[in-house]
């Protein structure tokens, strides 16, 4: 099983408008909105895309909850898998369900098995500023079949920090963004560590994300291609 890099989920951190008090940034709230991200290799070759659809938006006592449906596709447009997760905003803090980091194709292969998920969700404050340190997140997935444990995968997201406020151009559009970096560690048979860097624009979301190995070499990147 493979855990997707941070940008698969953080591409969803768009504009949380004022339908919930103090939740005024980093997530759209209109039901039916579709966000499309394209993924590329370090050399610029298209490797796939993801589509995230806001299937349901509710506001209960000032707590805003967004239910998301996710589909992933290969470079030729063939669907690889689908999944679901949720995002909530309460008192100015956005919490992202760590299930958003699971590989949808891999999870499809476990649909007839017992899957136990324990997680500590990541958070995004409504107000960001350079130098701000964000909380760590983790998710532990245990797969069993007829009572027999088959595998366990632990993923941790640490050292999350708002590094700067920068302008990023995607296509012909320039976006004012916050640059957020983090370290992702995933352990199954062995430990894999990568660094994620993402640029988040209010009212738009993550317009670009990059993944690096532990030596600082670019592995892949992702760009937001449409919001419908």
């Amino acid at each position: 099983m493979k855990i997707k890099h941070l940008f698969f989920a953080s591409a969803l951190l768009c504009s949380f408008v004022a339908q919930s008090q103090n939740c005024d940034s980093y997530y759209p709230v209109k039901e039916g909105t579709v966000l499309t991200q394209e993924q590329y290799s370090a050399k610029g070759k298209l490797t796939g895309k993801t589509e995230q659809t806001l299937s349901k938006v509710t506001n209960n006592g000032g707590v805003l909850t967004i239910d998301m449906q996710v589909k992933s596709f290969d470079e030729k447009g063939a669907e690889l898998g689908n999944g679901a997760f949720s995002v909530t905003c309460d008192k100015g803090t956005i919490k992202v369900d760590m299930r958003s980091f699971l590989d949808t194709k891999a999870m499809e292969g476990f649909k007839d098995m017992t899957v136990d998920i324990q997680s500590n969700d990541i958070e995004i404050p409504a107000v960001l500023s350079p130098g701000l340190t964000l909380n760590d997140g983790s998710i532990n997935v245990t797969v069993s079949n007829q009572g027999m444990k088959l595998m366990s995968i632990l993923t941790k997201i640490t050292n999350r920090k708002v590094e700067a406020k920068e302008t990023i151009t995607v296509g012909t559009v320039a976006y004012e963004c916050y640059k957020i970096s983090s370290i992702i560690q995933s352990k199954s048979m062995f430990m894999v560590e990568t660094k994620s860097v993402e640029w988040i624009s209010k009212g738009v979301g993550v317009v670009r994300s990059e993944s690096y190995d532990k030596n600082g070499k670019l592995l892949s990147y992702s760009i937001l291609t449409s919001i419908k």
Side-chain angles (χ1 to χ4, degrees), residues 16-17 19-20 23 29 57-60 62-66 87-90:
F16 241 142
V17 297
Q19 292 194 16
S20 182
C23 294
V29 295
V57 180
T58 57
N59 190 332
N60 186 5
V63 178
L64 194 66
T65 301
I66 298 178
V87 174
T88 61
C89 184
D90 184 15

Side-chain angles (χ1 to χ4, degrees), residues 14-228:
C14 306
S15 174
F16 241 142
V17 297
Q19 292 194 16
S20 182
Q21 187 176 9
N22 297 325
C23 294
D24 58 356
S25 57
Y26 313 117
Y27 222 102
V29 295
K30 183 180 179 181
E31 288 186 4
T33 298
V34 179
L35 302 97
T36 302
Q37 284 266 336
E38 291 184 350
Q39 289 85 43
Y40 293 87
S41 69
K43 294 183 178 181
K45 180 180 179 181
L46 179 68
T47 58
K49 72 174 183 178
T50 58
E51 291 182 353
Q52 299 92 20
T53 302
L54 282 69
S55 58
K56 185 178 181 180
V57 180
T58 57
N59 190 332
N60 186 5
V63 178
L64 194 66
T65 301
I66 298 178
D67 295 327
M68 303 292 301
Q69 297 292 324
V70 184
K71 291 183 179 180
S72 60
F73 303 85
D74 65 16
E75 70 279 8
K76 296 181 180 180
E79 186 173 339
L80 298 175
N82 61 80
F85 67 97
S86 62
V87 174
T88 61
C89 184
D90 184 15
K91 298 177 181 178
T93 298
I94 300 165
K95 294 185 178 181
V96 183
D97 188 342
M98 286 291 292
R99 288 180 300 166
S100 61
F101 296 93
L102 297 179
D103 187 318
T104 54
K105 181 180 179 181
M107 295 305 292
E108 282 282 325
F110 301 142
K111 63 182 179 181
D112 296 324
M113 303 179 188
T114 300
V115 179
D116 179 65
I117 300 176
Q118 302 292 328
S119 66
N120 177 35
D121 297 337
I122 59 172
E123 299 178 354
I124 301 287
V127 178
L128 297 177
S129 59
L132 183 65
T133 298
L134 308 179
N135 79 311
D136 295 340
S138 65
I139 184 165
N140 191 13
V141 179
T142 302
V143 180
S144 304
N145 190 19
Q146 297 182 348
M148 179 179 294
K149 181 179 176 180
L150 300 179
M151 65 173 61
S152 180
I153 304 98
L154 173 64
T155 296
K156 294 181 178 180
I157 302 175
T158 62
N159 297 341
R160 299 176 64 227
K161 184 178 180 180
V162 182
E163 294 191 356
K165 193 173 184 180
E166 299 179 346
T167 299
I168 295 294
T169 300
V170 177
T172 60
V173 182
Y175 298 95
E176 187 176 83
C177 302
Y178 288 101
K179 179 181 178 181
I180 300 176
S181 64
S182 62
I183 299 298
I184 304 177
Q185 294 177 319
S186 181
K187 183 178 181 181
S188 180
M189 297 294 291
F190 52 87
M191 178 70 74
V192 176
E193 181 175 297
T194 57
K195 178 180 179 180
S196 172
V197 181
E198 58 191 12
W199 287 264
I200 301 177
S201 180
K202 280 194 173 185
V204 179
V206 172
V207 298
R208 183 180 177 91
S209 299
E210 298 175 350
S211 180
Y212 296 84
D213 67 17
K214 62 182 180 180
N215 296 317
K217 181 181 178 181
L218 179 66
L219 298 172
S220 58
Y221 65 92
S222 173
I223 57 174
L224 180 67
T225 55
S226 71
I227 304 176
K228 298 180 180 179

